[in-house]
Amino acid sequence: MSILGSYLRLSAADLARAVEQPGWAEEFRDEQTEREELRAPSERRLHETGPAWDELAVLLGRCDLPADLVHGDRPLPGAEDWGYGPPRLLMPEQVAAVERRLADLPFDVLAAGLDPAELGDDDPHALDHLAAEYAALRTFLARTARYRHGLLVRYA
């Protein structure tokens, strides 16, 4: 079974409430999961990387990001284990800083010289799949930064 990564976009008020009431954050995530399919893609609050989080970590490890986009910055205080540890937070200013850095890094530049074997994948299309995951994550990150939201990062 694979570890699956996901991001939940949270407003400043939602972030404050999550820090004060970690149990609320888990309930809120469950509610958002149920509503996602009803939202237009541009309004979605969840982004799933699935098992590609590990490959994204390799890719993004090749650049100097101002915060750890793949794993999050710090654990949500008081939160229980949601799968593979407690969820982690990226504050709005961190999201904006990472988004600015990645806006100037197209996939072909970031992946230049990357051997698919470094990804632990022998699929000849591994880089194509990773390019699609990177593009989807950048789109979600840009939207999150535009709304001045933070992220709750979870692995299950």
Side-chain angles (χ1 to χ4, degrees):
M1 185 169 215
S2 296
I3 298 172
L4 307 175
S6 68
Y7 297 91
L8 174 63
R9 182 168 56 85
L10 296 173
S11 69
D14 292 338
L15 281 166
R17 187 167 181 189
V19 168
E20 291 295 318
Q21 301 171 325
W24 171 86
E26 190 168 15
E27 290 173 18
F28 184 73
R29 185 193 187 288
D30 292 344
E31 289 172 17
Q32 297 309 308
T33 301
E34 291 174 11
R35 296 179 184 168
E36 269 312 90
E37 290 184 15
L38 302 175
R39 290 191 173 111
S42 64
E43 296 302 315
R44 293 196 175 145
R45 297 191 66 149
L46 291 170
H47 179 74
E48 306 280 338
T49 60
W53 69 270
D54 196 30
E55 295 167 343
L56 286 164
V58 171
L59 181 71
L60 296 173
R62 302 181 71 161
C63 65
D64 186 27
L65 291 179
D68 188 348
L69 177 60
V70 174
H71 302 102
D73 180 46
R74 61 185 172 102
L76 177 63
E80 295 182 16
D81 186 331
W82 287 17
Y84 286 90
R88 300 181 68 86
L89 298 171
L90 282 171
M91 303 310 284
E93 58 277 2
Q94 292 174 302
V95 169
V98 170
E99 192 277 329
R100 282 190 303 272
R101 175 75 173 110
L102 292 181
D104 295 331
L105 279 173
F107 180 81
D108 58 338
V109 170
L110 192 53
L114 181 63
D115 182 349
E118 291 178 67
L119 302 174
D121 196 336
D122 57 1
D123 179 355
H125 302 290
L127 288 178
D128 293 334
H129 176 70
L130 183 55
E133 291 289 344
Y134 178 68
L137 181 57
R138 278 185 53 193
T139 298
F140 182 77
L141 188 65
R143 183 180 324 121
T144 302
R146 185 173 56 251
Y147 283 118
R148 295 186 177 96
H149 285 180
L151 291 171
L152 190 77
V153 182
R154 173 185 178 234
Y155 291 92

